[in-house]
Amino acid sequence: MQKIALLVDSACDLSLEEMKENNIKLLPLRISYSTGEYKDILEISADEVYSNLDKEVPKTSLPSAEDIEEVLNDLEKEGYTHVIAITISSGLSGTHNSIRLLLEDHPKLISFVFDTKILAMPEGIVALETAKLIKQGKSFEEIIKEIPIIRSKITGYFTLSTLDYLIKGGRIGKVSGMIGQMLNLKPIITVDENGVYYSVCKARGRKQSISKLTDILKEELEKGKCKVWVLHGGALEEAKKFMESLKNLKNIIDLNISQISPALGVHAGPGLLGLAIQKIN
C-alpha cells in the first residue's frame, strides 16, 4: 500500500497551521544576516524581516542539505513509500534541483519533484490541491498526472512599493530599475513559461498599479469563477483595503489574504501587493 508524503519549500507562503492540517512537510529556505542564519518561517517571521530591512538586507539561500536529509530520513522511518515535492520556480531558485538530487540518494522513496514555475501563494495553492488528492486516497500515479493540470489553472501577479530590493538582489538590472524609480513606474510582475519574472504592464504610481491589478483580475473573472488571494508584504492595512474593493466582484467564490514569506520579502521589500488567482471549473 502506498503512503505518500508531501513536501514544500517555505516560498509557498502556507502557514504552519495550514501545513499541519494538511500533513505537509516543510523544507525552510535560509535567511542569513551578519549576526547569524535563520530557518525561514520557523525561526524568523516576515514582520521581523521587513522591520529590519532598513538596517540590513539579508541574503537568502536554499533549504540546507542537512534539513532535506533529515526530513527524508524521517519519512523512511515513518514508512512512507512515495514523496511528492512542490517547489518554487527553478528559474528563481536552485531549491527544485537540490531536492531532486538528494532524493536520488533515497531509492526506497519513489519521488516526483514538481517545478511550479511560480512562487508565493500560487505555489501554495498547488500544494493544497495536491494534499486534497492524497487525502482522497488517490494513487501516486493519479496525483502526479493531475498536478500539472492544477498548476495550469493558477496565476499570480504583484506590484511593489519600491524596486530597490529587486535591484539589490539582482532580479532586475540597475539601469532599468533606476529609470523606473525616477519615473515612479510600478510594474505589474508575473512569471513566464520558464518561471522567471517579467512585467505584464507598467503603471505610474501606486494607485494606478493597484487599479491595473484589479483590471487583470476582472479579465479573469469574466472567463469564470475563481478563488482569489490578496498577497501582501508588510502592507496588511493596504491589503485589507484592496480586498474590500474586490469583495463584490462577480465570480469570486472565495477571497483571502496571504502574507509573503520572509525569504521572498527580502527580495520584494515592504509594500508588495499582489493577487493569486485559481480558476475553478
Side-chain angles (χ1 to χ4, degrees):
M1 184 176 175
Q2 296 181 348
K3 186 176 181 183
I4 306 170
L6 180 57
L7 307 182
V8 295
D9 56 67
S10 57
C12 72
D13 285 356
L14 296 178
S15 68
L16 292 175
E17 292 76 15
E18 285 174 311
M19 285 184 251
K20 185 177 180 181
E21 287 171 9
N22 292 280
N23 196 26
I24 299 172
K25 313 291 184 183
L26 173 65
L27 299 174
L29 278 75
R30 297 274 177 150
I31 298 176
S32 301
Y33 287 91
S34 56
T35 53
E37 187 178 68
Y38 302 88
K39 294 180 181 182
D40 191 25
I41 298 178
L42 296 177
E43 297 175 345
I44 190 167
S45 70
D47 288 337
E48 288 174 307
V49 170
Y50 288 122
S51 64
N52 283 296
L53 281 175
D54 58 337
K55 299 168 189 168
E56 182 180 358
V57 179
K59 292 181 171 58
T60 61
S61 57
L62 319 178
S64 71
E66 293 78 13
D67 282 348
I68 298 172
E69 277 294 323
E70 182 180 350
V71 169
L72 297 181
N73 287 332
D74 285 345
L75 292 179
E76 289 186 348
K77 290 174 186 174
E78 293 167 20
Y80 282 93
T81 58
H82 296 71
V83 174
I84 296 172
I86 305 296
T87 74
I88 183 176
S89 171
S90 61
L92 300 171
S93 170
T95 299
H96 174 271
N97 198 44
S98 180
I99 295 171
R100 183 184 60 79
L101 289 173
L102 286 165
L103 271 163
E104 289 180 1
D105 295 329
H106 292 264
K108 292 180 182 178
L109 296 170
I110 298 170
S111 61
F112 176 68
V113 185
F114 182 70
D115 181 0
T116 64
K117 298 189 183 298
I118 205 161
L119 71 168
M121 196 61 205
E123 177 193 344
I125 299 166
V126 177
L128 289 175
E129 292 297 328
T130 303
K132 287 180 186 176
L133 297 177
I134 295 173
K135 285 182 179 178
Q136 290 167 10
K138 301 282 188 183
S139 71
F140 176 81
E141 294 76 17
E142 288 174 313
I143 294 169
I144 65 174
K145 286 180 181 177
E146 190 69 24
I147 291 173
I149 299 170
I150 292 168
R151 168 61 184 89
S152 69
K153 298 176 182 177
I154 298 166
T155 54
Y157 303 89
F158 65 92
T159 187
L160 304 171
S161 178
T162 174
L163 299 178
D164 285 346
Y165 297 93
L166 282 184
I167 297 169
K168 290 174 183 176
R171 304 291 177 174
I172 58 173
K174 287 186 178 180
V175 173
S176 60
M178 288 174 64
I179 292 172
Q181 296 282 60
M182 289 169 58
L183 296 175
N184 196 26
L185 294 178
K186 308 293 182 185
I188 308 301
I189 301 169
T190 187
V191 291
D192 63 17
E193 64 276 7
N194 297 311
V196 296
Y197 293 135
Y198 84 96
S199 297
V200 179
C201 59
K202 293 183 176 68
R204 183 65 64 86
R206 183 68 160 181
K207 186 176 179 180
Q208 192 179 104
S209 67
I210 295 172
S211 178
K212 291 277 188 183
L213 280 174
T214 305
D215 290 342
I216 289 170
L217 175 58
K218 285 178 178 177
E219 287 180 20
E220 292 291 347
L221 293 172
E222 284 176 5
K223 301 170 189 174
K225 292 180 170 57
C226 297
K227 290 183 179 180
V228 178
W229 288 256
V230 172
L231 315 180
H232 80 93
L236 180 58
E237 292 308 312
E238 200 171 13
K240 286 179 179 177
K241 290 178 182 176
F242 185 31
M243 185 175 175
E244 185 69 20
S245 72
L246 304 176
K247 70 177 187 180
N248 292 322
L249 292 180
K250 184 183 177 183
N251 280 340
I252 293 181
I253 63 171
D254 198 16
L255 183 60
N256 297 284
I257 284 184
S258 173
Q259 165 100 313
I260 296 294
S261 75
L264 298 182
V266 168
H267 301 291
L272 176 147
L273 277 182
L275 293 169
I277 305 167
Q278 181 184 14
K279 300 169 190 174
I280 303 298
N281 291 339

